[in-house]
Amino acid sequence: MAETDWKRVVAGLRFSLGRPTSVQTSLAACLGFSFATETPEHVAAALLRIRADAALHLPGPRQFDDPEYEYLERVCAETGMHAPPRSEVPSRGVLDAWLAVAWARRSIQHLDRLKPCVGDVVVVPPLRHGEADRHGVINSIRLDGRLNFVGGRNRGARIHRVLRIVRPDETDYDKLVLKAREEVAQTNPFPERLTRDQRAVLEPFKVKRRPSPADREALREALDTAASERDMQVLLERHLPLLASTVRGNHGTWVRRQVRLGSAYVPDFLLASETSAGVAWTLVELESPLARLTNPGNRRETETLRTALNQIHDWREWLADNLLPARQELPGITVQPRGLVIIGREDPTDRATTIRDRHSRESRIEIRTYDWLLRAAEGEGTDALGLLDNETGDLDLDDWQS
């Protein structure tokens, strides 16, 4: 269990340091002994167990060694508490009880000193010598005083290890929040493996059918009349299976329309498909069906195509700086999701094979036409996968995860 108010945690810890209960005192009398005046409740329970085990002819107490007792002395010294003489610690159980008391006192002292609040940024030492300090945003406070950080996966820190607490009104707060988010993203070794809660986030956007004859005919008619990118955006928003057919996942396919990435970027679509390898995202940029891929004279990529490619690079840069908040809305996305530019019609004079191959190989951005999208909707490829996945063989995420 955890709390959000450090004062309540301190109150609970102080209560746990109380004197023996009336029940413990009565049991001790029955077993023929009494507690010293300053005996904490934890220690009283351990001493009772020794006497009860002896009365019941159970195995004797477990012994401890010198390093264990020396560690107790060290923790006690940190809190200004006198360690019990070794002669008064008859078993490892009693030693552990005294340690619980010392740990509680230490947590109380540091909670009182730091006064951590939910939302504060915590700076803690690195896990290994020579590495940089670590950062976390407080999500809650465990009842033993340990701080839990946003991001789960047991991220957190013991309160006595904290180097610094940074409040929201301090000048470097925003910078350190971003650093904490980056560290969370880097510690997830399998971001593409979705949890049940993450699938619930995506569920409203799941495409549950393949393109129908009506979807395909609507695309054909749009291609006959469309004069701009906006025409195709409207058509595809109304017929989502057309895009979903390009990346079908046997565990689910989702299509997100115009998701805002910060204040500056709004991709036309984001596609997600899940296989046994996890979820893979694709950033989609639409251009006009009337646009060309290459210039007729020099056969170099057109300004329109270059702009589309730059858009995808910009989105990726934003993801690299904002990966953790992005994953709240786009579970499992990485800093280098695949890109897809859909532009123009197939034209024998528009020889862009070399350009397509180069961007696919070097940038993992696929360039396709609207005629290709129609073929994907008509079911070209296997039953399990979409046409884009079949063409690229891009099912191994290992090289592209964050």
Side-chain angles (χ1 to χ4, degrees), residues 142-163:
R142 220 163 63 176
L143 298 186
D144 62 0
R146 184 181 188 272
L147 304 178
N148 295 325
F149 294 164
V150 171
R153 303 181 66 85
N154 202 37
R155 283 179 50 79
R158 291 171 292 171
I159 187 66
H160 70 282
R161 295 279 291 160
V162 172
L163 299 174

Side-chain angles (χ1 to χ4, degrees), residues 28 49 55 107 173 220 233 244 246 325 398:
R49 179 168 184 174
S107 292
Y173 176 81
R220 290 190 188 95
Q233 176 83 37
T246 66
D398 291 346

Side-chain angles (χ1 to χ4, degrees), residues 211-264:
S212 67
D215 295 320
R216 293 191 290 269
E217 193 57 32
L219 177 56
R220 290 190 188 95
E221 292 180 2
L223 290 176
D224 288 339
T225 60
S228 68
E229 168 195 339
R230 179 60 186 165
D231 295 333
M232 302 311 299
Q233 176 83 37
V234 171
L235 179 279
L236 293 175
E237 286 183 357
R238 292 176 60 85
H239 299 271
L240 295 179
L242 292 170
L243 279 174
S245 68
T246 66
V247 294
R248 288 197 301 267
N250 51 13
H251 295 318
T253 304
W254 300 269
V255 178
R256 298 293 314 271
R257 294 172 274 187
Q258 294 193 309
V259 176
R260 183 168 292 280
L261 304 180
S263 59

Side-chain angles (χ1 to χ4, degrees), residues 311-338:
Q311 284 271 50
I312 292 176
H313 287 299
D314 289 342
W315 301 339
R316 286 173 171 172
E317 288 182 8
W318 184 91
L319 286 169
D321 292 336
N322 301 274
L323 194 54
L324 184 61
R327 282 180 178 163
Q328 304 304 309
E329 193 171 359
L330 308 170
I333 198 165
T334 63
V335 296
Q336 285 286 335
R338 180 172 56 189

Side-chain angles (χ1 to χ4, degrees), residues 63-295:
Q63 299 304 307
F64 56 91
D65 54 29
D66 289 341
E68 292 175 282
Y69 180 75
E70 290 164 6
Y71 173 73
L72 171 62
E73 289 184 308
R74 187 166 73 250
V75 179
C76 288
E78 289 179 25
T79 68
M81 167 183 161
H82 293 295
R86 180 160 183 164
S87 59
E88 295 179 10
V89 185
S91 72
R92 178 176 282 118
V94 176
L95 178 82
D96 290 346
W98 278 111
L99 274 173
V101 170
W103 288 332
R105 287 173 58 95
R106 183 171 65 183
S107 292
I108 289 170
Q109 290 178 1
H110 288 283
L111 286 168
D112 276 333
R113 175 177 64 88
L114 293 168
K115 300 175 174 54
C117 297
V118 171
D120 289 348
V121 175
V122 175
V123 183
V124 294
L127 292 174
R128 286 173 288 274
H129 179 71
E131 294 183 352
D133 291 340
R134 295 174 295 135
H135 305 79
V137 178
I138 299 175
N139 181 50
S140 62
I141 307 172
R142 220 163 63 176
L143 298 186
D144 62 0
R146 184 181 188 272
L147 304 178
N148 295 325
F149 294 164
V150 171
R153 303 181 66 85
N154 202 37
R155 283 179 50 79
R158 291 171 292 171
I159 187 66
H160 70 282
R161 295 279 291 160
V162 172
L163 299 174
R164 180 187 172 200
I165 292 278
V166 184
R167 318 289 182 187
D169 59 352
E170 296 186 46
T171 55
D172 56 348
Y173 176 81
D174 291 340
K175 180 182 71 174
L176 294 181
V177 166
L178 177 59
K179 187 176 288 292
R181 288 173 174 170
E182 291 170 348
E183 291 175 19
V184 170
Q186 291 166 1
T187 58
N188 185 354
F190 303 110
E192 69 278 4
R193 305 286 174 82
L194 297 184
T195 65
R196 181 181 301 176
D197 289 344
Q198 288 175 320
R199 288 194 185 90
V201 171
L202 288 174
E203 185 61 27
F205 312 101
K206 190 170 187 176
V207 179
K208 300 179 180 179
R209 66 176 179 84
R210 296 185 179 180
S212 67
D215 295 320
R216 293 191 290 269
E217 193 57 32
L219 177 56
R220 290 190 188 95
E221 292 180 2
L223 290 176
D224 288 339
T225 60
S228 68
E229 168 195 339
R230 179 60 186 165
D231 295 333
M232 302 311 299
Q233 176 83 37
V234 171
L235 179 279
L236 293 175
E237 286 183 357
R238 292 176 60 85
H239 299 271
L240 295 179
L242 292 170
L243 279 174
S245 68
T246 66
V247 294
R248 288 197 301 267
N250 51 13
H251 295 318
T253 304
W254 300 269
V255 178
R256 298 293 314 271
R257 294 172 274 187
Q258 294 193 309
V259 176
R260 183 168 292 280
L261 304 180
S263 59
Y265 304 119
V266 184
D268 292 324
F269 292 94
L270 286 94
L271 314 180
S273 60
E274 187 182 13
T275 67
S276 57
V279 68
W281 285 88
T282 302
L283 306 171
V284 181
E285 169 66 7
L286 301 181
E287 295 297 337
S288 169
L290 302 182
R292 288 181 60 90
L293 282 73
T294 59
N295 296 313

